[in-house]
Amino acid sequence: MDNLNSELLIGSVAIIAALWLDRLLGEPSKYHPLIGFGQLANTLEKVLRGCKSLNEKSQGVLAWLLAVVPLTFATFVIVEVALQVSPLLAFLINCIVLYLSIGGRSLIEHADNIYRPLSQGDLDNARVAVSMIVSRNTETMNEKEITSSAIESVLENGNDAVFAPLLWFVLLGAPGAVLFRLANTLDAMWGYKNQRYLKFGYMSAKADDFLGWFPARLTAIVYAFQGRFMDGLTCWKNQAHECSSPNGGVVMTTGAGALGVRIGGPTYYDGVLKDKKPMGMGEPANWQVIPKANALVSKGSFGLSYIWLITLLGWSF
């Protein structure tokens, strides 16, 4: 077995180990590195907005580069040094970095916090729970709107929080997972299309779109294979282009089609009605569908990882 095959096999085992760490432990409740990264990003924004010699878009580009590039490069250096010390140490570092870059259990727990009160007819607590994961107005949401918001969030963030970090880890190792997670975090902080961030967050939004483009298509295929395959692909083809997000639309329309339900539709953001197009096909999703959406993410990520490992084993031997 050559060195490349050995590294690929070790990487695939690290993926499975990281997924199990996430399932068993979830995200650290304290001292998560992304908390410190968020503070760093806020400091960079404050400092660079004060640089009057740069226009607002240039300030945002420089802020993005200063936030993402040094930490990604530092991860590369740490992994390379660890490889020189011990392959086992490098394996452990890869596992830990990838574990900290994904958030599958957290995503599913948020969805379950919506599912439980909905299953008991408790719309008030369901509205509170859904307000924790979406930016839309939730105060007057009915059961259908709460359910749709939960499923949309699971399907879209299944890519951002699980599949995309895994894919970038496969492509570039631990630095790739860090690169995507940091870029995605900055998009969540700066990627808004409002007066404050339209120019400053331009780089953040475009970088996240670029880094998430291929993972979103892979995620959509994984969703489709777990349900109504052709319906999922049909919804992708006919509906994804109507969504505002070039990547979110792909995974949400395909996932809804695979589940055989409709989600989306008009909703309020900051008191303004946004005419979101329906996604999927069939009857409007009810609360019983939320665990099925969770399964697309959890079973899909583990299944894909095991398939990748088995494929590499067959290739190597």
Side-chain angles (χ1 to χ4, degrees), residues 53-175:
S53 59
L54 298 175
N55 61 42
E56 197 170 355
K57 184 179 289 187
S58 297
Q59 292 170 355
V61 170
L62 184 56
W64 191 93
L65 292 172
L66 290 174
V68 174
V69 174
L71 291 173
T72 303
F73 181 72
T75 305
F76 170 77
V77 172
I78 291 169
V79 172
E80 289 300 308
V81 171
L83 276 170
Q84 301 303 315
V85 175
S86 164
L88 177 59
L89 177 61
F91 171 78
L92 292 174
I93 289 175
N94 275 290
C95 286
I96 293 170
V97 170
L98 183 57
Y99 156 62
L100 293 172
S101 299
I102 59 179
R105 174 169 169 172
S106 176
L107 173 63
I108 289 172
E109 285 177 345
H110 280 301
D112 283 343
N113 289 339
I114 302 168
Y115 167 77
R116 285 192 295 271
L118 278 180
S119 67
Q120 300 166 3
D122 184 358
L123 293 187
D124 289 336
N125 280 319
R127 292 187 187 106
V128 172
V130 80
S131 71
M132 304 297 291
I133 61 172
V134 299
S135 58
R136 62 195 71 176
N137 298 125
T138 61
E139 296 85 359
T140 60
M141 278 186 174
N142 58 33
E143 180 178 320
K144 180 178 76 69
E145 292 168 330
I146 296 171
T147 299
S148 178
S149 297
I151 294 173
E152 289 175 57
S153 181
V154 169
L155 295 177
E156 182 171 19
N157 288 298
N159 175 57
D160 292 343
V162 182
F163 289 99
L166 294 181
L167 179 61
W168 280 105
F169 181 86
V170 170
L171 294 175
L172 298 177

Side-chain angles (χ1 to χ4, degrees), residues 32-53:
H32 196 296
L34 286 180
I35 297 175
F37 178 73
Q39 295 170 346
L40 170 65
N42 287 332
T43 300
L44 286 170
E45 178 183 356
K46 182 178 180 180
V47 170
L48 287 169
R49 282 188 182 275
C51 294
K52 303 305 180 183
S53 59

Side-chain angles (χ1 to χ4, degrees), residues 205-227:
K206 293 302 180 183
D208 185 66
D209 287 345
F210 174 77
L211 294 172
W213 190 92
F214 182 68
R217 274 79 190 157
L218 174 65
T219 302
I221 293 171
V222 173
Y223 287 168
F225 267 114
Q226 296 180 80

Side-chain angles (χ1 to χ4, degrees), residues 185-264:
T185 300
L186 290 181
D187 179 61
M189 295 179 67
W190 297 340
Y192 297 100
K193 294 181 179 179
N194 55 28
Q195 184 176 0
R196 178 176 176 81
Y197 288 110
L198 184 62
K199 294 181 180 179
F200 186 88
Y202 178 84
M203 175 68 175
S204 300
K206 293 302 180 183
D208 185 66
D209 287 345
F210 174 77
L211 294 172
W213 190 92
F214 182 68
R217 274 79 190 157
L218 174 65
T219 302
I221 293 171
V222 173
Y223 287 168
F225 267 114
Q226 296 180 80
R228 301 183 182 184
F229 183 77
M230 291 308 302
D231 287 348
L233 296 188
T234 298
C235 292
W236 175 355
K237 177 182 177 181
N238 296 333
Q239 299 171 356
H241 66 277
E242 296 180 337
C243 299
S244 59
S245 170
N247 299 327
V250 170
V251 293
M252 288 189 290
T253 56
T254 307
L259 292 168
V261 297
R262 281 192 295 112
I263 58 176

